[in-house]
Amino acid sequence: MEETIDKNIIVNNAILSSHTSNIIQKLEEFSRQCKICGASALHSNYGVISCSPCKMFFKRNAITGQKHFKCLYSGQCDVNINNRRICSSCRLTKCFQNGMQSDLFRSSLTKKIISKRKQNKMSKSMIESSNILQKIQEQKQLQRLPTLNLLQSDNSTLHTNQWTLLSNLFYNYDESKLLLIGQQLMNENNLEKSMISINSRLSKQFFMTTYETSGAYLNSNGDLRRLSSDNRNAFLRTAAENINCLGTIFSWNRSQVYKCKNFVNTCRDLYGQSSVDMIEHILKYMDSDIAIVKLALSLFTFSNNITIFSSIAMINPINTLEIFHIQNTYSEVIWKYLLYKYGFYESVQRFMTLIQCLLTATDGLYNAQYMEKHENDIELLVENLELELLLDDIEHIN
């Protein structure tokens, strides 16, 4: 009888222990979830465990969003990882309900500014010592742009300032690092025995470099920097999405990495089959003239029509007149360059193909917003850019 009781106690203890272990495991899993959308999260942002997209969403909209956002379904939306971009009003409400605090913005930003200033001081001497070499390299690059060498026989209506703008836009997007990685991928692809592990590493490095290249372009674009700070901050996310999308596809085309099987497989693993299909489709409309594509990159960067896919568009604070002025300037330069180099009839054909390319890229951006890794990388890119531009503004004020 006593043995039976002991066995029952042991069994009950084992069941209780297993049940307790399951509860603890579930609690640990729950603690690693974003309290807003349920995505994986490791850090506390503004007082709440949250993922990077929700952190950036709250940062951008906490102050102004409460007045402008409006739910179309009486505030009853269920916010999760799959639909978090649909209703900004309910998403922001959930941020506040779970304890996010806008008061923590300043302390977080101050720490980053202090850290960034320390880094700037350490690297200032290195930058100054390399200025002379950089100027020499820039002068050599200017000599390599074919259109600039044709100024003596210029029969187009492009004036000097437009040629200068064309040159700046051509060199602002520097894909040299991507081409170098692409060449390594192509070399390995041509080997008899494929080195899958190395290809995978290089492929991931290629994608990481696309975001770095996009950030460098936005940071060096004078038209973006001349926007008012409010307009620039409101537009920065859209600009980052646009330049990264078309810039990545342009780099695919120039380096021909789409011919590397392992590279395409890595892209599929990271971003899904839809991303590969999207890129292959847009490649069909990519112009063979590098100058035209690079001008198109800048034009697409300042196209904010992609916001029609987001509920934020209903209260879009962007001053569209500033953006339209830049768009018109870039469009005019593209059209005059086409006339200059190809004549009227071929210019019309190429311009129509260019429009088709941009429309297809816009459609691709709609699908990209559901790629979690891409969204996280874009959020990080925008956050770093905001900090860099803010530091520059502070230096100019001082």
Side-chain angles (χ1 to χ4, degrees):
M1 183 68 176
E2 292 180 357
E3 292 180 359
T4 303
I5 294 175
D6 291 340
K7 289 180 180 179
N8 290 335
I9 293 174
I10 293 173
V11 171
N12 290 335
N13 288 340
I15 295 173
L16 180 61
S17 176
S18 176
H19 182 65
T20 303
S21 177
N22 290 335
I23 293 175
I24 293 174
Q25 183 178 354
K26 290 180 179 179
L27 287 173
E28 289 177 350
E29 292 176 356
F30 181 75
S31 66
R32 293 194 296 267
Q33 291 181 346
C34 173
K35 304 305 180 186
I36 315 304
C37 70
S40 298
L42 297 176
H43 305 290
S44 176
N45 301 301
Y46 310 124
V48 176
I49 297 293
S50 54
C51 61
S52 179
C54 287
K55 166 195 170 184
M56 292 302 299
F57 170 82
F58 183 75
K59 179 182 177 183
R60 290 195 305 270
N61 303 296
I63 298 175
T64 60
Q66 295 180 84
K67 298 179 181 179
H68 300 289
F69 288 144
K70 183 177 180 180
C71 177
L72 300 177
Y73 304 99
S74 304
Q76 302 299 316
C77 299
D78 179 23
V79 180
N80 57 55
I81 189 174
N82 296 317
N83 64 8
R84 63 191 177 193
R85 294 173 65 90
I86 294 177
C87 182
S88 298
S89 176
C90 289
R91 187 180 185 184
L92 185 59
T93 299
K94 193 171 181 179
C95 288
F96 282 112
Q97 288 176 345
N98 281 275
M100 277 193 167
Q101 304 172 50
S102 58
D103 295 340
L104 298 178
F105 287 167
R106 185 175 299 276
S107 60
S108 175
L109 185 59
T110 302
K111 291 179 181 178
K112 289 184 178 180
I113 291 176
I114 293 174
S115 176
K116 190 72 175 180
R117 281 179 172 173
K118 288 181 179 179
Q119 294 178 7
N120 289 342
K121 288 180 181 179
M122 293 176 63
S123 61
K124 188 174 182 180
S125 59
M126 296 178 62
I127 294 174
E128 291 176 351
S129 63
S130 64
N131 279 342
I132 297 176
L133 179 61
Q134 184 177 353
K135 289 180 180 179
I136 295 174
Q137 291 175 342
E138 288 177 354
Q139 290 175 355
K140 290 182 178 179
Q141 285 181 334
L142 289 174
Q143 295 174 358
R144 289 201 296 269
L145 180 58
T147 54
L148 294 181
N149 295 332
L150 297 174
L151 280 173
Q152 295 178 351
S153 58
D154 183 11
N155 296 318
S156 72
T157 56
L158 278 164
H159 51 71
T160 303
N161 290 339
Q162 288 177 324
W163 280 109
T164 302
L165 174 61
L166 190 155
S167 175
N168 290 338
L169 295 179
F170 186 94
Y171 288 113
N172 269 5
Y173 189 86
D174 182 9
E175 74 281 15
S176 57
K177 291 182 180 179
L178 290 167
L179 294 180
L180 181 61
I181 300 173
Q183 185 60 53
Q184 291 177 292
L185 285 164
M186 292 296 292
N187 291 339
E188 292 185 3
N189 190 64
N190 294 331
L191 293 177
E192 293 182 2
K193 294 183 179 180
S194 177
M195 295 182 287
I196 298 177
S197 59
I198 297 180
N199 266 320
S200 177
R201 176 182 59 80
L202 282 175
S203 298
K204 292 177 180 178
Q205 184 180 354
F206 183 93
F207 290 113
M208 180 181 68
T209 306
T210 61
Y211 293 97
E212 294 176 359
T213 304
S214 299
Y217 168 84
L218 293 172
N219 201 9
S220 63
N221 185 281
D223 291 305
L224 181 67
R225 283 181 166 274
R226 281 188 288 271
L227 292 176
S228 62
S229 58
D230 291 340
N231 206 26
R232 186 181 63 202
N233 291 336
F235 180 66
L236 196 55
R237 170 60 189 260
T238 297
E241 288 270 18
N242 291 355
I243 186 62
N244 182 259
C245 173
L246 201 58
T248 298
I249 298 168
F250 165 66
S251 301
W252 272 49
N253 191 48
R254 281 215 66 188
S255 59
Q256 297 187 332
V257 290
Y258 57 85
K259 296 180 180 179
C260 301
K261 182 178 180 181
N262 288 321
F263 174 82
V264 175
N265 288 338
T266 301
C267 179
R268 186 180 294 110
D269 293 339
L270 291 174
Y271 303 104
Q273 179 62 42
S274 60
S275 64
V276 177
D277 296 337
M278 173 194 73
I279 292 174
E280 291 178 347
H281 183 55
I282 300 175
L283 282 173
K284 298 176 183 178
Y285 303 101
M286 192 69 64
D287 200 291
S288 57
D289 188 325
I290 297 175
I292 293 175
V293 179
K294 284 203 168 187
L295 292 172
L297 287 176
S298 296
L299 178 61
F300 193 58
T301 299
F302 286 89
S303 300
N304 65 333
N305 294 332
I306 189 61
T307 55
I308 62 175
F309 297 120
S310 170
S311 58
I312 298 176
M314 293 185 294
I315 50 87
N316 192 352
I318 296 175
N319 182 348
T320 53
L321 291 179
E322 280 191 281
I323 305 300
F324 284 157
H325 176 73
I326 299 172
Q327 288 180 4
N328 291 338
T329 302
Y330 290 1
S331 297
E332 183 180 3
V333 169
I334 294 175
W335 176 244
K336 288 185 176 181
Y337 172 78
L338 284 169
L339 287 176
Y340 167 74
K341 191 167 183 181
Y342 297 104
F344 181 76
Y345 292 104
E346 187 174 350
S347 295
V348 171
Q349 293 176 339
R350 285 179 176 267
F351 201 83
M352 290 177 64
T353 303
L354 178 62
I355 293 173
Q356 183 64 56
C357 178
L358 299 185
L359 289 174
T360 309
T362 301
D363 184 54
L365 281 173
Y366 171 74
N367 296 318
Q369 67 181 327
Y370 298 105
M371 302 173 190
E372 184 175 358
K373 176 173 172 42
H374 166 74
E375 286 294 288
N376 291 340
D377 290 337
I378 285 291
E379 294 286 359
L380 182 60
L381 169 62
V382 172
E383 184 177 6
N384 290 335
L385 275 171
E386 286 179 339
L387 178 59
E388 291 179 11
L389 294 172
L390 177 61
L391 287 170
D392 289 342
D393 290 343
I394 293 174
E395 289 181 2
H396 290 152
I397 293 173
N398 295 336

